[in-house]
Amino acid sequence: MAFEGLSEKITSAFKKLKSRGRLSEADVKSAMREIKLALLEADVNFKVVKEFTKTVTERATGAEILESLSPAQQVIKIVNEELTKLMGGSNAKINISPNPPTVIMMVGLQGAGKTTNGAKLAGLFKKQQQKRPLLVACDVYRPAAIDQLKVVGGKLDIPVFEMGQGDPVEIAKAGVDYAKKNAFDMVFLDTAGRLHIDEALMDELKNIKAEVNPSEIMLVVDAMTGQDAVNVATAFNDALGVDGILMAKMDGDARGGAALSTKAVTGKPIKFIGTGEKLGDIEPFHPDRMASRILGMGDMLTLIEKAQANYDAKQAAELEKKVRANRLTLSDFAEQLKQFKDPEAVQNMLGMIPGMDAKALSGAKLDEKAVVHTEAIISSMTPKERDNPSIINFSRKKRIAAGCGLKIEDVNRLLKQFEAMQKMTRQLNNMTKRGKKKGMGIPGLGNFNKRGGGFRFPF
């Protein structure tokens, strides 16, 4: 995430506080100087940093804090609260019209990711709230803009309304009318952008706004542009009046100051963030959760939501029954492997676990070659062999190895791993029966072990 460097520096400052036990006012001010420098390096607006550190220092140097039993923890709590407040306090919802369709006007500079993120947002509402969204192609200037919208719309199974290279105002109006006649309850207008803010762009957007009266004007800005993103947000808000901000490219390695500055400077909340290149990589922005991530406290709520969203409930129920009855098969084993095929997604999810060192997660990936080999071996088995591996004798192993182009040793290794998983399942069942509750299971995440500094999954 964009805050990795900032998180590391703030965590380092907190470690120094914790090591001192009792704190003096000088200790707190020294730590706040470090945090101030870290925020400025992260490209957070100077005025925002100055006000933030002033507020935290005043609260943290009060007598009731310094004389408490755990002053360092109290200071961390204050920083957490003020960071949350700085980013908006709570999750800001999108404006939904009481009379459908809800019209969302996507605006922003060219290159910010407006087209893709508008489609992502439509897909999010379709998946999570069962909405019927319509994408409307109002960008008639950028080459292939309409085709791009059709491509992403097709991948998400969302219809696209377009009228070619016509008048964007008329296209927006016709798109909304089409949505009303065809029972679409959300309309996403993909408007034109420029490489810079100019009068012609703003006039066109103002005309579209006046014609369709959108429920929400959503500004898409690129988090990787730092303070430029805040300047763009200010200019769009002053000229057009935006309702919310979608901060794109929050998965990048940029300094991330835009997310900390935007709300304080513009007064407009960040409502969604783009977290990757895939069309499902978008999530609501929760200031409290982001503050926890920055401070190295993890984000279990988002972790659980992601796991639930990516895991089929019916499949989970069936798997649970098999686990309880100790009837897991090699087909189930292969299915679980698919959960870990995207190393980046696994690393992002593990990074939300409290206390997890982001740098230590650099090894949190499966050996892709091993995954392919495992799938090949299981695919070379008969259904009977997958359901009952105990029948696999030497001659069967020889046939399976020949079928997948691997060695008998590879087949033996997989069978031993599967036996180990079955043994672990039996132990977990026994603990459950004895009323012992250890750890926390998350659907689709599986188990992982830390070995030799990196993370390796037990497959």
Side-chain angles (χ1 to χ4, degrees):
M1 292 293 286
F3 294 113
E4 186 174 325
L6 174 62
S7 178
E8 186 178 333
K9 289 182 174 68
I10 292 180
T11 302
S12 175
F14 286 158
K15 282 181 180 177
K16 292 177 184 178
L17 284 181
K18 289 178 180 177
S19 67
R20 292 186 179 276
R22 287 288 181 180
L23 298 181
S24 66
E25 188 171 325
D27 292 330
V28 174
K29 288 184 176 179
S30 176
M32 289 313 302
R33 277 193 294 271
E34 289 187 43
I35 292 174
K36 180 178 181 179
L37 288 173
L39 291 169
L40 290 173
E41 286 178 16
D43 211 11
V44 181
N45 179 277
F46 175 75
K47 291 182 179 178
V48 173
V49 173
K50 187 177 179 181
E51 186 61 32
F52 173 80
T53 52
K54 178 186 175 184
T55 302
V56 173
T57 302
E58 287 176 353
R59 289 187 60 190
T61 53
E64 70 277 7
I65 300 297
L66 296 181
E67 294 174 7
S68 66
L69 293 175
S70 55
Q73 292 294 339
Q74 294 290 337
V75 174
I76 294 171
K77 180 174 180 288
I78 290 169
V79 173
N80 189 12
E81 290 172 353
E82 292 299 326
L83 268 179
T84 300
K85 183 179 177 182
L86 184 65
M87 291 185 285
S90 60
N91 172 241
K93 305 292 184 183
I94 207 161
N95 296 319
I96 300 295
S97 173
N99 301 310
T102 294
V103 179
I104 300 168
M105 186 174 165
M106 308 297 298
V107 301
L109 292 185
Q110 189 172 313
K114 183 163 46 0
T115 300
T116 301
N117 281 284
K120 283 184 179 182
L121 192 55
L124 185 70
F125 276 92
K126 178 183 177 182
K127 181 179 180 180
Q128 293 190 353
Q129 299 188 26
Q130 291 71 54
K131 297 288 188 181
R132 290 195 67 227
L134 175 71
L135 300 173
V136 179
C138 298
D139 183 355
V140 299
Y141 308 110
R142 182 169 61 88
I146 297 174
D147 290 337
Q148 182 188 357
L149 192 64
K150 286 181 177 178
V151 169
V152 292
K155 289 180 179 178
L156 292 166
D157 195 25
I158 298 175
V160 175
F161 179 89
E162 57 99 2
M163 293 169 56
Q165 311 294 319
D167 179 0
V169 179
E170 292 301 318
I171 294 172
K173 182 181 177 183
V176 173
D177 288 340
Y178 178 85
K180 290 178 180 177
K181 293 175 183 176
N182 292 275
F184 288 98
D185 47 24
M186 296 192 84
V187 177
F188 291 82
L189 305 179
D190 181 37
T191 65
R194 302 283 193 279
L195 293 175
H196 59 278
I197 296 168
D198 61 18
E199 189 175 343
L201 169 65
M202 289 305 175
D203 285 343
E204 180 179 294
L205 295 177
K206 287 176 184 176
N207 291 335
I208 293 175
K209 177 183 177 181
E211 188 64 46
V212 302
N213 189 27
S215 307
E216 176 98 19
I217 296 180
M218 181 70 69
L219 173 66
V220 180
V221 294
D222 183 345
M224 297 180 73
T225 58
Q227 278 305 295
D228 283 342
V230 181
N231 297 333
V232 167
T234 302
F236 267 89
N237 186 50
D238 290 344
L240 192 63
V242 302
D243 298 296
I245 294 168
L246 192 159
M247 191 71 67
K249 304 177 186 177
M250 282 290 287
D251 58 314
D253 57 1
R255 290 168 288 183
L260 289 172
S261 305
T262 304
K263 175 64 168 65
V265 174
T266 67
K268 301 300 178 179
I270 299 172
K271 295 189 175 182
F272 295 90
I273 56 174
T275 57
E277 296 182 359
K278 296 178 181 178
L279 291 177
D281 292 339
I282 185 171
E283 61 186 59
F285 181 70
H286 295 272
D288 53 342
R289 301 184 191 181
M290 187 58 70
S292 291
R293 289 193 214 182
I294 293 171
L295 299 180
M297 299 175 183
D299 182 3
M300 288 303 297
L301 288 176
T302 300
L303 174 62
I304 292 169
E305 287 172 1
K306 280 182 174 289
Q308 290 174 337
N310 293 326
Y311 204 72
D312 182 82
K314 184 178 180 182
Q315 181 187 11
E318 291 176 354
L319 186 62
E320 183 182 0
K321 287 181 181 177
K322 288 186 175 183
V323 169
R324 290 184 183 280
N326 197 30
R327 289 190 290 103
L328 286 175
T329 67
L330 279 165
S331 297
D332 299 321
F333 187 66
E335 191 64 35
Q336 286 297 296
L337 262 184
K338 293 177 184 177
Q339 303 289 330
F340 298 94
K341 273 208 165 180
D342 184 352
E344 184 179 340
V346 172
Q347 186 167 330
N348 287 338
M349 290 182 77
L350 290 178
M352 295 176 195
I353 298 175
M356 199 69 79
D357 182 0
K359 285 193 172 181
L361 296 177
S362 58
K365 55 178 71 176
L366 278 177
D367 181 343
E368 293 182 22
K369 188 177 179 181
V371 174
V372 172
H373 286 177
T374 299
E375 291 184 330
I377 292 170
I378 294 175
S379 296
S380 296
M381 297 177 183
T382 65
K384 188 175 181 180
E385 288 168 342
R386 290 178 210 151
D387 289 343
N388 187 15
S390 62
I391 67 171
I392 302 178
N393 55 24
F394 180 77
S395 62
R396 288 177 183 265
K397 290 176 184 177
K398 190 175 180 181
R399 190 204 78 245
I400 292 168
C404 61
L406 296 170
K407 299 178 181 178
I408 292 179
E409 290 90 332
D410 297 317
V411 179
N412 284 332
R413 187 179 301 112
L414 171 62
L415 292 174
K416 286 181 180 178
Q417 289 169 342
F418 181 67
E419 287 175 11
M421 189 180 79
Q422 286 184 312
K423 183 178 179 181
M424 182 180 68
T425 302
R426 284 194 295 270
Q427 290 172 343
L428 288 172
N429 278 331
N430 290 336
M431 283 194 294
T432 301
K433 290 175 182 177
R434 291 197 301 266
K436 293 183 180 179
K437 190 176 183 181
K438 294 185 179 182
M440 177 178 178
I442 300 176
L445 187 59
N447 301 281
F448 57 91
N449 296 323
K450 187 172 183 180
R451 300 172 184 167
F455 284 86
R456 288 182 55 207
F457 294 88
F459 298 122

Short mmCIF file of all heavy atoms in Angstrom, two decimals, residues 411-458:
data_model
loop_
_atom_site.label_atom_id
_atom_site.label_comp_id
_atom_site.label_asym_id
_atom_site.label_seq_id
_atom_site.Cartn_x
_atom_site.Cartn_y
_atom_site.Cartn_z
N VAL A 411 4.58 -37.37 -7.02
CA VAL A 411 3.28 -37.91 -6.61
C VAL A 411 3.31 -38.28 -5.13
O VAL A 411 2.37 -37.98 -4.38
CB VAL A 411 2.90 -39.12 -7.48
CG1 VAL A 411 1.54 -39.69 -7.02
CG2 VAL A 411 2.85 -38.74 -8.96
N ASN A 412 4.39 -38.93 -4.71
CA ASN A 412 4.54 -39.32 -3.30
C ASN A 412 4.52 -38.10 -2.38
O ASN A 412 3.91 -38.11 -1.31
CB ASN A 412 5.85 -40.10 -3.09
CG ASN A 412 5.76 -41.52 -3.60
OD1 ASN A 412 4.67 -42.10 -3.61
ND2 ASN A 412 6.88 -42.08 -4.02
N ARG A 413 5.21 -37.03 -2.81
CA ARG A 413 5.28 -35.82 -2.00
C ARG A 413 3.88 -35.23 -1.80
O ARG A 413 3.49 -34.83 -0.70
CB ARG A 413 6.19 -34.79 -2.67
CG ARG A 413 6.47 -33.56 -1.80
CD ARG A 413 7.39 -32.58 -2.50
NE ARG A 413 8.66 -33.18 -2.84
CZ ARG A 413 9.07 -33.43 -4.09
NH1 ARG A 413 8.30 -33.11 -5.11
NH2 ARG A 413 10.24 -34.00 -4.31
N LEU A 414 3.09 -35.19 -2.87
CA LEU A 414 1.74 -34.65 -2.77
C LEU A 414 0.88 -35.49 -1.84
O LEU A 414 0.14 -34.95 -1.00
CB LEU A 414 1.10 -34.59 -4.17
CG LEU A 414 -0.39 -34.25 -4.20
CD1 LEU A 414 -0.64 -32.86 -3.62
CD2 LEU A 414 -0.94 -34.34 -5.61
N LEU A 415 0.98 -36.80 -1.95
CA LEU A 415 0.17 -37.67 -1.11
C LEU A 415 0.54 -37.51 0.37
O LEU A 415 -0.33 -37.54 1.24
CB LEU A 415 0.35 -39.13 -1.55
CG LEU A 415 -0.24 -39.47 -2.93
CD1 LEU A 415 0.13 -40.90 -3.32
CD2 LEU A 415 -1.75 -39.28 -2.94
N LYS A 416 1.83 -37.31 0.65
CA LYS A 416 2.25 -37.09 2.03
C LYS A 416 1.71 -35.77 2.56
O LYS A 416 1.30 -35.67 3.72
CB LYS A 416 3.78 -37.11 2.12
CG LYS A 416 4.38 -38.51 2.00
CD LYS A 416 5.90 -38.47 2.13
CE LYS A 416 6.49 -39.87 2.00
NZ LYS A 416 7.98 -39.84 2.08
N GLN A 417 1.73 -34.74 1.72
CA GLN A 417 1.19 -33.45 2.13
C GLN A 417 -0.31 -33.56 2.42
O GLN A 417 -0.82 -32.96 3.38
CB GLN A 417 1.44 -32.41 1.03
CG GLN A 417 2.90 -32.01 0.89
CD GLN A 417 3.16 -31.20 -0.36
OE1 GLN A 417 2.36 -31.22 -1.28
NE2 GLN A 417 4.30 -30.51 -0.39
N PHE A 418 -1.00 -34.33 1.59
CA PHE A 418 -2.43 -34.51 1.80
C PHE A 418 -2.70 -35.26 3.09
O PHE A 418 -3.63 -34.94 3.84
CB PHE A 418 -3.03 -35.25 0.60
CG PHE A 418 -4.52 -35.46 0.72
CD1 PHE A 418 -5.40 -34.38 0.69
CD2 PHE A 418 -5.04 -36.74 0.88
CE1 PHE A 418 -6.76 -34.59 0.81
CE2 PHE A 418 -6.41 -36.94 0.99
CZ PHE A 418 -7.27 -35.86 0.95
N GLU A 419 -1.89 -36.27 3.37
CA GLU A 419 -2.03 -37.02 4.63
C GLU A 419 -1.80 -36.11 5.83
O GLU A 419 -2.51 -36.20 6.84
CB GLU A 419 -1.02 -38.18 4.67
CG GLU A 419 -1.36 -39.34 3.75
CD GLU A 419 -0.28 -40.40 3.73
OE1 GLU A 419 0.64 -40.32 4.58
OE2 GLU A 419 -0.32 -41.29 2.87
N ALA A 420 -0.83 -35.20 5.70
CA ALA A 420 -0.55 -34.25 6.79
C ALA A 420 -1.74 -33.33 7.01
O ALA A 420 -2.10 -33.00 8.15
CB ALA A 420 0.69 -33.44 6.46
N MET A 421 -2.38 -32.91 5.93
CA MET A 421 -3.55 -32.04 6.05
C MET A 421 -4.70 -32.79 6.72
O MET A 421 -5.41 -32.24 7.56
CB MET A 421 -3.99 -31.52 4.69
CG MET A 421 -5.07 -30.44 4.78
SD MET A 421 -5.60 -29.83 3.17
CE MET A 421 -6.70 -31.14 2.66
N GLN A 422 -4.89 -34.05 6.35
CA GLN A 422 -5.94 -34.85 6.97
C GLN A 422 -5.69 -35.02 8.47
O GLN A 422 -6.62 -34.96 9.28
CB GLN A 422 -6.03 -36.21 6.29
CG GLN A 422 -6.67 -36.17 4.91
CD GLN A 422 -6.83 -37.55 4.33
OE1 GLN A 422 -5.89 -38.35 4.35
NE2 GLN A 422 -8.01 -37.85 3.81
N LYS A 423 -4.43 -35.24 8.82
CA LYS A 423 -4.06 -35.39 10.23
C LYS A 423 -4.37 -34.11 11.01
O LYS A 423 -4.92 -34.16 12.12
CB LYS A 423 -2.58 -35.73 10.35
CG LYS A 423 -2.11 -35.99 11.78
CD LYS A 423 -0.63 -36.37 11.80
CE LYS A 423 -0.16 -36.61 13.24
NZ LYS A 423 1.29 -36.95 13.29
N MET A 424 -4.02 -32.97 10.41
CA MET A 424 -4.30 -31.69 11.05
C MET A 424 -5.80 -31.50 11.23
O MET A 424 -6.27 -31.00 12.25
CB MET A 424 -3.72 -30.54 10.22
CG MET A 424 -3.93 -29.15 10.82
SD MET A 424 -3.23 -27.86 9.78
CE MET A 424 -4.34 -27.94 8.36
N THR A 425 -6.58 -31.89 10.22
CA THR A 425 -8.03 -31.77 10.30
C THR A 425 -8.59 -32.60 11.45
O THR A 425 -9.47 -32.15 12.19
CB THR A 425 -8.67 -32.23 8.97
OG1 THR A 425 -8.15 -31.44 7.91
CG2 THR A 425 -10.18 -32.08 9.01
N ARG A 426 -8.08 -33.82 11.61
CA ARG A 426 -8.53 -34.69 12.71
C ARG A 426 -8.22 -34.04 14.06
O ARG A 426 -9.03 -34.07 14.98
CB ARG A 426 -7.86 -36.06 12.62
CG ARG A 426 -8.44 -36.97 11.55
CD ARG A 426 -7.99 -38.41 11.73
NE ARG A 426 -6.55 -38.54 11.54
CZ ARG A 426 -5.98 -38.80 10.36
NH1 ARG A 426 -6.73 -38.94 9.28
NH2 ARG A 426 -4.67 -38.93 10.26
N GLN A 427 -7.02 -33.44 14.18
CA GLN A 427 -6.63 -32.79 15.43
C GLN A 427 -7.53 -31.60 15.75
O GLN A 427 -7.94 -31.41 16.90
CB GLN A 427 -5.17 -32.33 15.34
CG GLN A 427 -4.17 -33.47 15.32
CD GLN A 427 -2.75 -33.00 15.04
OE1 GLN A 427 -2.55 -31.89 14.55
NE2 GLN A 427 -1.78 -33.84 15.35
N LEU A 428 -7.85 -30.83 14.72
CA LEU A 428 -8.75 -29.68 14.92
C LEU A 428 -10.14 -30.14 15.35
O LEU A 428 -10.77 -29.55 16.22
CB LEU A 428 -8.85 -28.86 13.63
CG LEU A 428 -7.61 -28.04 13.26
CD1 LEU A 428 -7.78 -27.44 11.87
CD2 LEU A 428 -7.37 -26.94 14.28
N ASN A 429 -10.61 -31.21 14.73
CA ASN A 429 -11.91 -31.76 15.11
C ASN A 429 -11.91 -32.23 16.56
O ASN A 429 -12.87 -32.03 17.31
CB ASN A 429 -12.29 -32.92 14.19
CG ASN A 429 -12.89 -32.44 12.88
OD1 ASN A 429 -13.50 -31.39 12.84
ND2 ASN A 429 -12.69 -33.21 11.83
N ASN A 430 -10.83 -32.88 16.97
CA ASN A 430 -10.73 -33.37 18.35
C ASN A 430 -10.71 -32.22 19.35
O ASN A 430 -11.33 -32.29 20.40
CB ASN A 430 -9.46 -34.22 18.51
CG ASN A 430 -9.56 -35.55 17.78
OD1 ASN A 430 -10.66 -36.05 17.54
ND2 ASN A 430 -8.41 -36.12 17.41
N MET A 431 -9.98 -31.13 18.98
CA MET A 431 -9.94 -29.96 19.87
C MET A 431 -11.32 -29.34 20.00
O MET A 431 -11.74 -28.91 21.07
CB MET A 431 -8.95 -28.93 19.33
CG MET A 431 -7.49 -29.27 19.59
SD MET A 431 -6.41 -27.88 19.32
CE MET A 431 -6.57 -27.64 17.56
N THR A 432 -12.05 -29.28 18.89
CA THR A 432 -13.39 -28.71 18.91
C THR A 432 -14.31 -29.53 19.80
O THR A 432 -15.09 -29.00 20.59
CB THR A 432 -13.98 -28.67 17.48
OG1 THR A 432 -13.11 -27.88 16.66
CG2 THR A 432 -15.36 -28.04 17.48
N LYS A 433 -14.18 -30.85 19.68
CA LYS A 433 -15.02 -31.72 20.50
C LYS A 433 -14.72 -31.58 21.98
O LYS A 433 -15.59 -31.75 22.83
CB LYS A 433 -14.82 -33.19 20.06
CG LYS A 433 -15.42 -33.49 18.69
CD LYS A 433 -15.08 -34.91 18.25
CE LYS A 433 -15.64 -35.19 16.86
NZ LYS A 433 -15.27 -36.54 16.38
N ARG A 434 -13.45 -31.28 22.29
CA ARG A 434 -13.06 -31.09 23.69
C ARG A 434 -13.37 -29.69 24.19
O ARG A 434 -13.07 -29.35 25.33
CB ARG A 434 -11.56 -31.39 23.86
CG ARG A 434 -11.21 -32.86 23.68
CD ARG A 434 -9.83 -33.14 24.26
NE ARG A 434 -8.79 -32.33 23.64
CZ ARG A 434 -8.05 -32.73 22.61
NH1 ARG A 434 -8.28 -33.93 22.07
NH2 ARG A 434 -7.11 -31.96 22.11
N GLY A 435 -13.94 -28.87 23.29
CA GLY A 435 -14.32 -27.53 23.71
C GLY A 435 -13.20 -26.54 23.71
O GLY A 435 -13.30 -25.46 24.29
N LYS A 436 -12.08 -26.89 23.06
CA LYS A 436 -10.95 -25.97 23.01
C LYS A 436 -11.07 -25.11 21.76
O LYS A 436 -11.27 -25.63 20.68
CB LYS A 436 -9.63 -26.73 22.96
CG LYS A 436 -9.35 -27.48 24.25
CD LYS A 436 -7.99 -28.15 24.18
CE LYS A 436 -7.69 -28.90 25.46
NZ LYS A 436 -6.39 -29.57 25.41
N LYS A 437 -10.93 -23.82 21.96
CA LYS A 437 -11.04 -22.88 20.84
C LYS A 437 -9.74 -22.13 20.68
O LYS A 437 -9.37 -21.33 21.52
CB LYS A 437 -12.18 -21.89 21.09
CG LYS A 437 -12.53 -21.04 19.89
CD LYS A 437 -13.73 -20.18 20.21
CE LYS A 437 -14.15 -19.37 19.01
NZ LYS A 437 -15.29 -18.50 19.30
N LYS A 438 -9.02 -22.43 19.61
CA LYS A 438 -7.73 -21.79 19.41
C LYS A 438 -7.71 -21.08 18.07
O LYS A 438 -8.06 -21.66 17.06
CB LYS A 438 -6.60 -22.82 19.44
CG LYS A 438 -6.42 -23.47 20.80
CD LYS A 438 -5.22 -24.38 20.78
CE LYS A 438 -5.00 -25.02 22.13
NZ LYS A 438 -3.82 -25.89 22.15
N GLY A 439 -7.27 -19.82 18.09
CA GLY A 439 -7.09 -19.09 16.84
C GLY A 439 -8.40 -18.69 16.21
O GLY A 439 -9.46 -18.77 16.81
N MET A 440 -8.28 -18.21 14.98
CA MET A 440 -9.44 -17.70 14.25
C MET A 440 -9.36 -18.15 12.81
O MET A 440 -8.38 -17.91 12.13
CB MET A 440 -9.44 -16.17 14.31
CG MET A 440 -10.58 -15.53 13.52
SD MET A 440 -10.53 -13.75 13.68
CE MET A 440 -11.91 -13.31 12.64
N GLY A 441 -10.38 -18.82 12.33
CA GLY A 441 -10.41 -19.25 10.94
C GLY A 441 -11.12 -18.24 10.08
O GLY A 441 -12.15 -17.73 10.46
N ILE A 442 -10.56 -17.98 8.91
CA ILE A 442 -11.19 -17.05 7.98
C ILE A 442 -11.45 -17.79 6.69
O ILE A 442 -10.54 -18.38 6.11
CB ILE A 442 -10.28 -15.84 7.71
CG1 ILE A 442 -10.01 -15.11 9.04
CG2 ILE A 442 -10.90 -14.90 6.71
CD1 ILE A 442 -9.05 -13.95 8.90
N PRO A 443 -12.70 -17.79 6.18
CA PRO A 443 -13.04 -18.54 4.99
C PRO A 443 -12.12 -18.21 3.83
O PRO A 443 -11.92 -17.05 3.50
CB PRO A 443 -14.48 -18.10 4.69
CG PRO A 443 -15.01 -17.62 6.00
CD PRO A 443 -13.84 -17.04 6.71
N GLY A 444 -11.57 -19.28 3.22
CA GLY A 444 -10.77 -19.08 2.02
C GLY A 444 -9.33 -18.70 2.29
O GLY A 444 -8.51 -18.70 1.39
N LEU A 445 -8.98 -18.33 3.55
CA LEU A 445 -7.62 -17.89 3.82
C LEU A 445 -6.71 -19.05 4.16
O LEU A 445 -5.53 -19.04 3.88
CB LEU A 445 -7.61 -16.86 4.97
CG LEU A 445 -6.29 -16.17 5.26
CD1 LEU A 445 -5.80 -15.43 4.03
CD2 LEU A 445 -6.42 -15.21 6.43
N GLY A 446 -7.26 -20.08 4.77
CA GLY A 446 -6.46 -21.25 5.09
C GLY A 446 -5.55 -20.99 6.26
O GLY A 446 -5.76 -20.11 7.07
N ASN A 447 -4.50 -21.77 6.38
CA ASN A 447 -3.53 -21.63 7.46
C ASN A 447 -2.18 -21.31 6.86
O ASN A 447 -1.88 -21.67 5.74
CB ASN A 447 -3.42 -22.93 8.25
CG ASN A 447 -4.74 -23.34 8.85
OD1 ASN A 447 -5.16 -22.82 9.86
ND2 ASN A 447 -5.43 -24.27 8.19
N PHE A 448 -1.34 -20.62 7.64
CA PHE A 448 -0.01 -20.36 7.13
C PHE A 448 0.98 -20.42 8.26
O PHE A 448 0.68 -20.17 9.41
CB PHE A 448 0.06 -19.01 6.42
CG PHE A 448 -0.35 -17.84 7.28
CD1 PHE A 448 0.59 -17.15 8.03
CD2 PHE A 448 -1.67 -17.45 7.33
CE1 PHE A 448 0.20 -16.08 8.82
CE2 PHE A 448 -2.06 -16.38 8.11
CZ PHE A 448 -1.12 -15.70 8.86
N ASN A 449 2.19 -20.79 7.93
CA ASN A 449 3.26 -20.92 8.90
C ASN A 449 4.42 -20.03 8.51
O ASN A 449 4.73 -19.88 7.33
CB ASN A 449 3.78 -22.37 8.95
CG ASN A 449 2.71 -23.32 9.43
OD1 ASN A 449 1.94 -22.97 10.30
ND2 ASN A 449 2.67 -24.51 8.84
N LYS A 450 5.06 -19.44 9.51
CA LYS A 450 6.23 -18.61 9.25
C LYS A 450 7.46 -19.48 9.43
O LYS A 450 7.70 -20.03 10.47
CB LYS A 450 6.26 -17.42 10.21
CG LYS A 450 7.37 -16.42 9.89
CD LYS A 450 7.23 -15.17 10.72
CE LYS A 450 8.29 -14.16 10.35
NZ LYS A 450 8.20 -12.94 11.12
N ARG A 451 8.25 -19.57 8.38
CA ARG A 451 9.43 -20.42 8.43
C ARG A 451 10.60 -19.66 7.83
O ARG A 451 10.55 -19.20 6.70
CB ARG A 451 9.23 -21.70 7.62
CG ARG A 451 8.05 -22.54 8.12
CD ARG A 451 7.78 -23.67 7.16
NE ARG A 451 6.62 -24.42 7.55
CZ ARG A 451 6.02 -25.29 6.74
NH1 ARG A 451 6.47 -25.51 5.54
NH2 ARG A 451 4.95 -25.95 7.16
N GLY A 452 11.64 -19.52 8.59
CA GLY A 452 12.86 -18.92 8.05
C GLY A 452 12.71 -17.49 7.61
O GLY A 452 13.31 -17.07 6.64
N GLY A 453 11.86 -16.70 8.27
CA GLY A 453 11.75 -15.29 7.95
C GLY A 453 10.66 -14.97 6.95
O GLY A 453 10.08 -13.91 6.97
N GLY A 454 10.34 -15.89 6.03
CA GLY A 454 9.27 -15.62 5.07
C GLY A 454 8.08 -16.47 5.39
O GLY A 454 8.07 -17.24 6.33
N PHE A 455 7.05 -16.36 4.57
CA PHE A 455 5.83 -17.14 4.81
C PHE A 455 5.70 -18.20 3.73
O PHE A 455 5.82 -17.90 2.54
CB PHE A 455 4.62 -16.24 4.80
CG PHE A 455 4.48 -15.45 6.06
CD1 PHE A 455 5.14 -14.24 6.20
CD2 PHE A 455 3.70 -15.91 7.10
CE1 PHE A 455 5.02 -13.51 7.36
CE2 PHE A 455 3.57 -15.18 8.26
CZ PHE A 455 4.25 -13.97 8.39
N ARG A 456 5.46 -19.42 4.15
CA ARG A 456 5.22 -20.50 3.20
C ARG A 456 3.95 -21.22 3.60
O ARG A 456 3.74 -21.52 4.76
CB ARG A 456 6.38 -21.49 3.21
CG ARG A 456 7.66 -20.95 2.57
CD ARG A 456 8.72 -22.01 2.57
NE ARG A 456 8.25 -23.24 1.93
CZ ARG A 456 8.72 -24.43 2.21
NH1 ARG A 456 9.65 -24.60 3.12
NH2 ARG A 456 8.25 -25.49 1.59
N PHE A 457 3.12 -21.46 2.63
CA PHE A 457 1.87 -22.15 2.91
C PHE A 457 2.08 -23.65 2.91
O PHE A 457 2.86 -24.18 2.10
CB PHE A 457 0.81 -21.75 1.88
CG PHE A 457 0.45 -20.31 1.99
CD1 PHE A 457 1.18 -19.36 1.29
CD2 PHE A 457 -0.56 -19.90 2.82
CE1 PHE A 457 0.87 -18.02 1.41
CE2 PHE A 457 -0.88 -18.56 2.94
CZ PHE A 457 -0.16 -17.62 2.23
N PRO A 458 1.42 -24.36 3.81
CA PRO A 458 1.69 -25.79 3.99
C PRO A 458 1.08 -26.69 2.93
O PRO A 458 0.28 -27.55 3.22
CB PRO A 458 1.07 -26.06 5.37
CG PRO A 458 -0.07 -25.12 5.44
CD PRO A 458 0.37 -23.88 4.73
#
